[in-house]
Amino acid sequence: MSAADRLTDTLYGLGWSTVKKLPEPVAVRLGRTIADLAWKQRGKGVQRLEANYARVVPGATAERLAELSRAGMRSYLRYWMESFRLPAWSAERVRTGFDPKDVHHLTDGLAAGRGVILALPHLANWDLAGAWVTTELKTPFTTVAERLKPETLYDRFVAYREGLGMEVLPHSGGSAFGTLARRLRDGGLVCLVADRDLSASGVEVDFFGDAARMPAGPALLAQQTGALLLPVTLWYDDSPVMKGRVHPAIEVPESGTRAEKTSVMTQALADAFATGIADHPEDWHMLQRLWLADLDLAKGPA
């Protein structure tokens, strides 16, 4: 393991071991202080966040984008402070820490014996939403995690999420799709963060007026298993309680090839994500390149 990897693993380990012991007001202030310091340094992540917000809020002035990126970093660090502390939260704190609307779309689907796929963008704190599902609804679910480096850091994330009641599968390796399909056919729940394609086989969508790729998995799973596909959007307000909405199901088109159906469904998913992101852009934690034009630009000349 390289020195940089060891440092990364150590810092995350300190987060989970130390931050969770802090009183909540202290953790909130610490997160805001770190966010403001990172914002002032204007590193690559902050610059990318601003560039992404410029697509989400067309016509925004430089001052408005700076305001958004500062709020975005504070939201991002709120996510981390909450995530470091979640393992120490009581069941009651988890239940009262999230207030979602239209949960009946989820509970009705599960009660009917259909598998359900919840698809989310990188908005607010998806780990807290997951912990609420396992705690308030007492419903376990399966998710997929990106392979992180170093491997010890990936193991930390898996242990953290399993401790919240999730079954975690590695994104790489090729077996995740089959396992997810089996869980859905058994009437289970699958939750996927689905606004950024981690493969070379994503579906091209129109996202805020320009081309991007999003994973085909949610749409393919819905077609193959008959499960409901429900978009979910999350956001913060000025309270300690995260808000959210479960959107109506994305239906499988009655005609077309599998690829055509997947394209239509993934575009509908992107449109649902866009509504939530447009309403709360500062809570979209996308510090990476997403749009194809930006990805092509990053590659440079051949």
Side-chain angles (χ1 to χ4, degrees):
M1 187 189 300
S2 69
D5 284 348
R6 281 197 298 272
L7 176 61
T8 299
D9 183 61
T10 299
L11 289 174
Y12 279 99
L14 283 172
W16 271 301
S17 64
T18 303
V19 173
K20 70 180 180 181
K21 299 176 183 176
L22 297 174
E24 192 154 341
V26 175
V28 170
R29 288 196 298 272
L30 176 62
R32 180 161 290 202
T33 299
I34 294 171
D36 287 348
L37 286 172
W39 178 77
K40 289 176 182 177
Q41 291 176 354
R42 292 198 56 79
K44 289 183 179 179
V46 173
Q47 293 179 47
R48 174 46 45 194
L49 192 62
E50 270 186 27
N52 289 340
Y53 286 159
R55 291 182 180 274
V56 173
V57 188
T61 63
E63 291 77 11
R64 173 60 177 148
L65 290 175
E67 290 174 359
L68 274 175
S69 65
R70 184 178 189 182
M73 290 304 295
R74 287 181 171 184
S75 175
Y76 187 46
L77 263 294
R78 176 174 171 175
Y79 160 77
W80 280 112
M81 291 297 111
E82 287 178 349
S83 294
F84 288 143
R85 293 172 55 75
L86 260 176
W89 280 13
S90 67
E92 181 62 19
R93 179 67 181 89
V94 172
R95 282 194 291 265
T96 59
F98 181 39
D99 180 22
K101 303 176 187 297
D102 300 327
V103 180
H104 66 90
H105 292 305
L106 167 60
T107 54
D108 289 352
L110 292 173
R114 294 184 66 174
V116 176
I117 306 157
L118 296 180
L120 307 88
H122 286 81
L123 273 169
N125 191 338
W126 46 96
D127 287 326
L128 172 55
W132 185 89
V133 167
T134 60
T135 304
E136 174 67 14
L137 301 184
K138 295 181 171 53
T139 302
F141 64 86
T142 305
T143 188
V144 175
E146 179 182 0
R147 280 281 187 189
L148 300 173
K149 293 184 179 180
E151 189 75 14
T152 51
L153 179 57
Y154 171 77
D155 292 340
R156 285 185 190 276
F157 270 96
V158 170
Y160 156 64
R161 288 179 172 137
E162 286 180 342
L164 299 176
M166 312 176 193
E167 178 188 22
V168 183
L169 307 175
H171 179 269
S172 58
S175 62
F177 188 92
T179 302
L180 295 173
R182 286 194 295 275
R183 300 291 182 269
L184 292 168
R185 289 194 185 97
D186 290 339
L189 177 62
V190 164
C191 298
L192 300 171
V193 180
D195 58 343
R196 179 168 168 252
D197 181 43
L198 297 176
S199 69
S201 58
V203 178
E204 188 170 319
V205 295
D206 180 275
F207 197 52
F208 289 100
D210 211 341
R213 282 197 196 96
M214 293 189 181
L220 288 172
L221 283 167
Q223 292 175 61
Q224 187 163 316
T225 67
L228 287 177
L229 174 55
L230 303 177
V232 177
T233 53
L234 310 170
W235 66 91
Y236 292 127
D237 56 19
D238 294 331
S239 77
V241 180
M242 184 177 72
K243 305 301 192 295
R245 174 173 288 108
V246 181
H247 296 252
I250 293 173
E251 301 293 341
V252 177
E254 294 182 1
S255 62
T257 65
R258 186 171 72 163
E260 290 168 344
K261 292 178 180 179
T262 301
S263 178
V264 170
M265 295 174 72
T266 306
Q267 182 62 61
L269 199 59
D271 292 342
F273 291 167
T275 63
I277 294 168
D279 287 342
H280 305 279
E282 69 279 4
D283 292 325
W284 190 40
H285 308 149
M286 185 55 66
L287 281 73
Q288 298 86 16
R289 297 176 188 270
L290 179 73
W291 281 271
L292 299 189
D294 295 334
L295 292 169
D296 290 342
L297 188 64
K299 293 177 184 176

